[in-house]
Amino acid sequence: MTKHLSALLIVAALLAGCAATPTSTNTADTSTQATELSKPGAGEAQTVTPAPQPSQMAAAKRASRMAGSGLDAEEEAARKDLWLRVRKGFAMPDLDNDLVRNREQWYASRPDYVARMTERSSRYMFYIVEEIERRGMPTELALLPFIESAFNPQAVSSAKASGMWQFMAATGKDFALKQNVFRDDRRDVLASTRAALDYLTRLHDQFGDWQLALAAYNWGEGSVQRAIARNQKTGKPTDYESLRMPEETRYYVPKLQAVKNIVADPANFGLTLPPLPNHPYFLSVPIERDIDVALAVQFSGVSMEEFKTLNPQMNKPVILAAGTPQILLPYDNANQFLHRLAAFQGSTASWTAWVAPKTLKPAAVAEQVGMSEATLRDVNRIPPRMLVKAGSTLLVPRAATAQVDVPVHVADGATLALAPDQQLRKTTVKAGRKDSVASVAKRYRVSAAQVAEWNNVAVTASFKRGQRVVVYRPVKVASKSASRSAKRTKSASASKAKSSRVAARSSGKRAAKAPVRSAKATKGRSTATVQVATNGSSAGSSTEPPAQ
């Protein structure tokens, strides 16, 4: 047990900082140590010679050195302000215009907002700066999450961009950010930082200019390329300030420039930036078995909020080892987690994955997997009146005796596909003055998640007055037996009506012939004949009896 625990602790140290993230193939590695760690197999437990159990402080020191900084948490250099290091790496040309002044004033008038952003950034800035310096990129890029998400890794825009670096779903997939039932790597601290720097490197290679690269990061490379082509066609300059672009993109680089100016000289704007320690905040701890998030939090000793701040990519209450090979924890908590995990006896996961063999109602699924329908719907976010389509992956209770973890192909490819439990009709309505996704959902008795999905917006989004909003409403469809009964009833009614019309025509013909027959009748039948004729004639007519 001690030998196994020692190996785990060493792996945790080796995976600290940038070593936990795949390196970019576009940038040369300037650190020999980081290069060795990026090789296939580096940092794996089986390649490490077991060492005596280190103390927590010794593990932190070693992890700090392995992160590539060469800094010791106990040394004077480690206590210096990380802002000094960021300022030293500024390398982008400055932008100086009224838009920059406008954004400077905006931030300077909101010191509390700046303080909150800076506090959140303290967990991630060291790692980001390490990665940027390793790639030889300008450190201004470390400030980009300030304007993208205010350093909130859980941020989701109205356009459904997600994470600290605000990746759209399609762009995230282009840069190998997994998005499935169990996790969304657009929110993963390590994976999203790697993807963002890869993307920015590609854009800079494409445009040869950091300001244009940033515009493309915000607006899309195709849009920037077309704007450049328009200016070239009319003989206009093609720099950032000369391009015609949406207002958001026009303010994008000025925002970053304003933040850069504040970081460079906060006192000039009446602001004070809290110092950021110049050493790693977290360790990367390997996950070898499926484990409940609640249990991981318990073992580590951090709060659930802190755990989610460092591991925001989790979509479910279980961490699948096949899809999430590591979690991030502060130094002391990482060592505590490993100690408690090694000493734990029993199953670490109470949840597992279940793949629907055919399209089923949630109630039928719940019965098969042994859980309540309400819990099934809640944990898998299944709206009312929806079917679970075949091939969907659901989170369900794991049997106490189950030893097999969720396999890689399920952990990486898990999707949830739903279908309406009844026929729906698409309706387009106009939003009112204060309409939101929630208010529209309430009005039409559907879930907010459905309205958000139908209109490609976030669940928390609001609509502009008069904006067209798509809503699907149920269409009542009669059953087959009811349909057949209705057809029979309709057929019988039609036959009866036809018979009545035929009878009416026949009666009319007989009435017209009655007076002729009565004239030939005997005197004893004349009264009866007159009565028949009267009954058969049209209103207002009369027939006098024959003379006596």
Side-chain angles (χ1 to χ4, degrees), residues 385-469:
R385 299 185 294 276
M386 299 297 284
L387 300 174
V388 177
K389 296 184 71 174
S392 292
T393 302
L394 300 177
L395 190 68
V396 301
R398 177 170 171 168
T401 56
Q403 299 297 321
V404 179
D405 289 331
V406 176
V408 175
H409 73 276
V410 175
D412 277 348
T415 59
L416 176 60
L418 303 175
D421 195 10
Q422 54 187 319
Q423 185 178 343
L424 299 177
R425 181 181 71 253
K426 181 178 179 180
T427 305
T428 303
V429 298
K430 287 187 178 181
R433 186 165 61 89
K434 294 184 178 181
D435 260 335
S436 63
V437 168
S439 66
V440 172
K442 183 178 181 180
R443 185 180 308 140
Y444 292 98
R445 298 181 181 180
V446 294
S447 72
Q450 287 175 301
V451 175
E453 183 179 355
W454 295 333
N455 293 277
N456 195 31
V457 297
V459 176
T460 56
S462 296
F463 298 113
K464 294 180 181 179
R465 185 174 185 177
Q467 181 178 345
R468 293 188 177 277
V469 180

Side-chain angles (χ1 to χ4, degrees), residues 103-316:
R103 293 299 87 188
E104 287 173 345
Q105 184 179 2
W106 193 92
Y107 286 116
S109 64
R110 293 165 173 80
D112 292 343
Y113 176 69
V114 173
R116 287 195 302 273
M117 288 198 301
T118 306
E119 191 279 328
R120 281 197 293 262
S121 74
S122 64
R123 296 174 175 83
Y124 319 112
M125 276 291 285
F126 179 86
Y127 174 77
I128 294 172
V129 172
E130 285 280 297
E131 282 294 287
I132 285 173
E133 288 185 343
R134 187 179 61 78
R135 293 165 177 251
M137 302 170 79
T139 53
E140 286 98 330
L141 298 176
L143 309 176
L144 198 58
F146 277 115
I147 66 172
E148 281 288 352
S149 63
F151 268 101
N152 177 8
Q154 299 279 12
V156 179
S157 74
S158 59
K160 290 192 173 181
S162 183
M164 186 164 57
W165 296 92
Q166 289 291 280
F167 273 95
M168 296 293 289
T171 309
K173 290 177 182 177
D174 288 344
F175 288 90
L177 296 179
K178 295 281 186 182
Q179 301 156 58
N180 58 39
V181 166
F182 293 101
R183 74 184 198 271
D184 187 342
D185 284 349
R186 294 179 297 165
R187 300 194 301 264
D188 184 284
V189 174
L190 306 186
S192 67
T193 299
R194 182 267 309 159
L197 298 184
D198 283 351
Y199 189 21
L200 287 163
T201 298
R202 191 182 81 180
L203 293 172
H204 182 260
D205 290 344
Q206 179 178 349
F207 295 104
D209 179 278
W210 278 115
Q211 293 179 357
L212 292 177
L214 288 166
Y217 188 87
N218 175 258
W219 192 20
E221 57 258 56
S223 298
V224 172
Q225 194 64 64
R226 287 188 291 272
I228 290 174
R230 282 195 300 267
N231 280 24
Q232 287 175 333
K233 188 175 180 180
T234 57
K236 295 179 180 178
T238 58
D239 60 290
Y240 173 82
E241 291 187 87
S242 300
L243 298 182
R244 190 176 73 225
M245 58 185 66
E247 185 175 14
E248 180 185 334
T249 308
R250 192 163 59 89
Y251 270 92
Y252 193 70
V253 175
K255 279 184 183 179
L256 183 61
Q257 182 69 54
V259 173
K260 173 184 176 180
N261 294 345
I262 290 171
V263 169
D265 189 4
N268 188 44
F269 300 92
L271 296 172
T272 301
L273 297 181
L276 297 183
N278 197 14
H279 60 73
Y281 180 87
F282 54 75
L283 281 172
S284 180
V285 182
I287 296 297
E288 298 176 348
R289 295 293 307 274
D290 294 354
I291 181 171
D292 289 347
V293 170
L295 191 61
V297 170
Q298 178 185 330
F299 285 169
S300 66
V302 299
S303 67
M304 180 64 77
E305 181 182 3
E306 176 71 0
F307 184 87
K308 289 184 176 180
T309 298
L310 291 174
N311 303 279
Q313 72 274 19
M314 310 300 180
N315 286 337
K316 299 296 180 185

